[in-house]
Amino acid sequence: MYEILMSLPLLNGVSRTRILEIVGKTKFHFLKYLDGEKIINAGDPCTHIKFILSGAVRSSVSRNDQRFKVAQTLVAPSVIAPEFLFGKSPFYPATVTSIGSTGIMQIAKNDYLAMLTGDRVFMFNFLNMLSSSAQRSVEGILALTDGNLEERIAYWIVSLTQRDGKEIVMSCRQRDLYSLFGVQRSSLVAALQSLKDKDLIDFTQNEISVKSRSELLKLLATPEEEH
């Protein structure tokens, strides 16, 4: 159990003794989901922090009108949308479904808050994650306002997915995309083709498949997720 816990994001760097102390006084809830079972519905209150212990999940974010949809796979060990645990709008942004048999460990928000305030390593891990997200947003906003179209597309993809997201697919019509970015169709297709030539994405009329999120991130000239 110690090895499993130590491999989880946000728990790295804590001593074995400290982990044993926490296990003794914190309620860890272990849940099992079968293939295709719903784990989270978009809009659910974020009352627990949820770690993927085994297996994988498919996380999907979409607009109400379904014109834009972003799906990604999260593989154990991982954590589901930790940025939404606190703040003004603590609601899950994505619908999350199990892929195969999936093991989830969840900790109630109050119990996790006690962990954060009781151990500097936990606190620093969580603050670093929040800081990385905030810094990425600043770089991305600059890219949207002043960057080239490839950077703007990269930010759009990166901002809607997690650092460890895999098999990322953006479902949207090209005509909706060039309206979103305020460019002509020819400019959008040229930017997508350039990203494809760099082996970062593949695309069709209705989908963008991401081959390398980490390489795509480098277009934004921010190193926050390379460590």
Side-chain angles (χ1 to χ4, degrees):
M1 179 57 67
Y2 170 75
E3 297 300 331
I4 293 174
L5 294 178
M6 284 300 299
S7 70
L8 294 174
L10 305 181
L11 273 68
N12 293 331
V14 180
S15 69
R16 184 185 187 91
T17 300
R18 183 65 179 133
I19 286 289
L20 291 174
E21 290 176 1
I22 291 169
V23 170
K25 61 184 180 182
T26 304
K27 292 182 179 179
F28 290 73
H29 300 276
F30 297 92
L31 307 172
K32 274 288 186 182
Y33 293 88
L34 300 176
D35 183 42
E37 279 196 276
K38 194 73 63 66
I39 298 173
I40 297 168
N41 284 301
D44 283 351
C46 194
T47 59
H48 294 72
I49 188 164
K50 296 178 184 286
F51 295 94
I52 306 169
L53 294 184
S54 62
V57 304
R58 192 69 173 162
S59 174
S60 178
V61 179
S62 63
R63 279 181 31 157
N64 290 335
D65 59 10
Q66 299 295 310
R67 288 174 63 190
F68 298 102
K69 181 179 178 181
V70 184
Q72 64 182 325
T73 296
L74 302 175
V75 179
S78 186
V79 58
I80 302 173
E83 301 95 327
F84 294 86
L85 187 62
F86 302 105
K88 185 177 180 180
S89 185
F91 302 94
Y92 285 107
T95 294
V96 180
T97 306
S98 61
I99 300 175
S101 178
T102 303
I104 298 289
M105 180 186 76
Q106 65 180 29
I107 305 171
K109 182 184 296 187
N110 288 340
D111 289 334
Y112 187 63
L113 182 60
M115 289 172 59
L116 293 178
T117 56
D119 192 287
R120 290 170 62 89
V121 176
F122 286 136
M123 180 66 77
F124 280 132
N125 285 346
F126 194 72
L127 290 177
N128 283 335
M129 180 274 299
L130 293 178
S131 296
S132 294
S133 179
Q135 291 160 12
R136 181 186 65 201
S137 296
V138 171
E139 295 289 345
I141 290 171
L142 293 176
L144 282 177
T145 57
D146 194 35
N148 63 36
L149 186 53
E150 290 181 35
E151 291 174 338
R152 294 161 67 188
I153 294 171
Y155 172 66
W156 188 59
I157 294 171
V158 167
S159 65
L160 292 172
T161 54
Q162 290 189 198
R163 173 182 177 178
D164 53 349
K166 304 178 186 299
E167 299 173 353
I168 297 169
V169 176
M170 325 286 285
S171 300
C172 51
R173 296 178 300 181
Q174 283 188 8
R175 65 182 181 182
D176 290 328
L177 274 184
Y178 56 75
S179 296
L180 172 70
F181 290 113
V183 298
Q184 294 182 344
R185 180 181 181 278
S186 59
S187 298
L188 174 69
V189 173
L192 292 175
Q193 186 61 51
S194 178
L195 291 171
K196 180 178 180 178
D197 292 343
K198 294 173 183 174
D199 205 32
L200 299 177
I201 69 166
D202 202 352
F203 70 97
T204 66
Q205 287 286 338
N206 298 305
E207 284 189 351
I208 300 174
S209 300
V210 179
K211 292 186 175 182
S212 175
R213 184 185 183 279
S214 60
E215 290 298 316
L216 202 62
L217 185 68
K218 292 178 182 178
L219 292 180
L220 301 179
T222 172
E224 38 73 34
E225 294 194 15
E226 296 174 14
H227 302 293

